[in-house]
Amino acid sequence: MKLIQITDIHLRQNGELVSGRDPFISLQAARDDILRRHSDADLIVITGDLADDGSAGSYALLRETMAPLRTPLALLLGNHDNRERFLQVFPERRGEGGFVHGMHEVSNGRALFLDTLDEGAHGGRLCSKRLSWFEAQLAAGDGPYWVFMHHNPVPSHLALLDRIMLQDREAFWAIIARYRERIAHIFHGHLHLPMSGALHGVPVSCVRGTAHAGFPNYGEDRLLPHSDLPESYAVIISDGPATTVMMVEYGLHVSQPQPQPLRSAAS
């Protein structure tokens, strides 16, 4: 099984820059690299912050940009997204209860996509309806389940980022504890930096993403530090009992303006 995770693409219309980079150029380059190297993937998942401005025009640009892909594509929402505007452009993505969540069969189990968007807030939330949906999916089969979401469910121990992580995480943690034998891995975005860990023994990982890059600055609690680190996506390969998650820094070959060193808005 091969899965591709793209995250935090932050598209804007008309070539507008975000923290000194053009997110459209970055996404095009990621798409083209995946087309060249990973046409055999089971699934491509973009884990949120699809649009930097939550505009219908940015979602239309996303649809147009990803149209050349022949691999199934899953789209998740992040804190910069707008659910209703997204669904105006992607009405087929509307899931149970009007949320952008769902499930996709892959060659080694099932991929589950969670909608952690809390409209008007940078932190994430899973309301009782979304949690019930998630638990029902896990209860329906033995797995393995590959869970994708935008907001980090485990702390980064970076003060600012942890203020905008998944807010009602204890309820999520309880579900993971009950079904941990069925869950192979949890993938998230939001941080703009790579991170890995575990939740009740379930591996958790994050990849840097295609837009502005972050780095772990433990002394900063007001601004999000950004750098010129290259744009990235993740290749996830499961072969029997082994799973490999590789961050591909395709941005080493992308020409971009130099990013601003700091960004005051939440990621």
Side-chain angles (χ1 to χ4, degrees):
M1 178 195 75
K2 178 189 282 189
L3 310 177
I4 304 294
Q5 181 193 8
I6 304 171
T7 196
D8 294 277
I9 62 178
H10 285 266
L11 277 182
R12 292 187 70 94
Q13 305 172 71
N14 305 320
E16 297 174 64
L17 301 186
V18 178
S19 289
R21 286 182 177 174
D22 185 334
F24 175 62
I25 290 175
S26 297
L27 181 61
Q28 275 190 316
R31 178 203 64 194
D32 293 347
D33 199 64
I34 291 165
L35 280 168
R36 283 194 302 270
R37 303 174 190 276
H38 305 295
S39 60
D40 59 337
D42 293 49
L43 178 69
I44 299 168
V45 186
I46 306 183
T47 48
D49 278 358
L50 308 174
D52 190 66
D53 56 0
S55 69
S58 292
Y59 297 126
L61 180 60
L62 172 60
R63 182 181 277 282
E64 178 183 355
T65 304
M66 304 309 281
L69 293 172
R70 295 294 175 260
T71 303
L73 176 67
L75 301 174
L76 282 65
L77 300 183
N79 48 294
H80 278 259
D81 290 307
N82 180 285
R83 191 178 289 111
E84 286 310 310
R85 290 185 198 131
F86 170 81
L87 290 171
Q88 289 171 14
V89 179
F90 292 96
E92 72 279 9
R93 306 284 176 167
R94 186 182 295 272
E96 183 179 313
F99 296 107
V100 183
H101 52 198
M103 185 271 292
H104 185 87
E105 299 277 355
V106 292
S107 57
N108 184 20
R110 295 174 173 177
L112 288 178
F113 318 121
L114 303 184
D115 181 341
T116 60
L117 172 60
D118 184 15
E119 296 276 10
H122 283 296
R125 193 164 299 280
L126 287 167
C127 62
S128 59
K129 291 181 180 179
R130 284 175 278 183
L131 288 169
S132 295
W133 178 89
F134 178 44
E135 185 158 18
Q137 306 311 303
L138 295 174
D142 294 332
Y145 291 95
W146 309 85
V147 177
F148 292 85
M149 58 200 300
H150 179 69
H151 291 86
N152 50 308
V154 297
S156 66
H157 299 285
L158 299 168
L160 177 59
L161 292 179
D162 286 348
R163 288 201 293 271
I164 59 172
M165 68 180 290
L166 186 67
Q167 300 298 293
D168 48 358
R169 51 195 171 272
E170 291 82 2
F172 178 78
W173 291 356
I175 293 174
I176 299 302
R178 287 195 288 276
Y179 294 95
R180 59 189 172 189
E181 298 301 324
R182 301 182 181 187
I183 303 170
H185 204 109
I186 301 169
F187 303 93
H188 66 88
H190 192 45
L191 302 182
H192 291 247
L193 52 80
M195 186 178 81
S196 61
L199 177 58
H200 290 298
V202 177
V204 180
S205 65
C206 176
V207 66
R208 183 181 298 136
T210 69
H212 40 287
F215 65 93
N217 183 349
Y218 287 92
E220 178 60 67
D221 65 357
R222 295 183 301 106
L223 297 173
L224 294 176
H226 289 164
S227 73
D228 61 352
L229 291 166
E231 301 94 323
S232 306
Y233 63 82
V235 177
I236 302 146
I237 299 176
S238 177
D239 182 11
T243 298
T244 300
V245 182
M246 182 69 69
M247 187 172 74
V248 178
E249 294 182 308
Y250 74 94
L252 290 169
H253 310 291
V254 178
S255 178
Q256 283 273 17
Q258 289 298 305
Q260 299 168 5
L262 293 174
R263 177 180 168 92
S264 59
S267 62

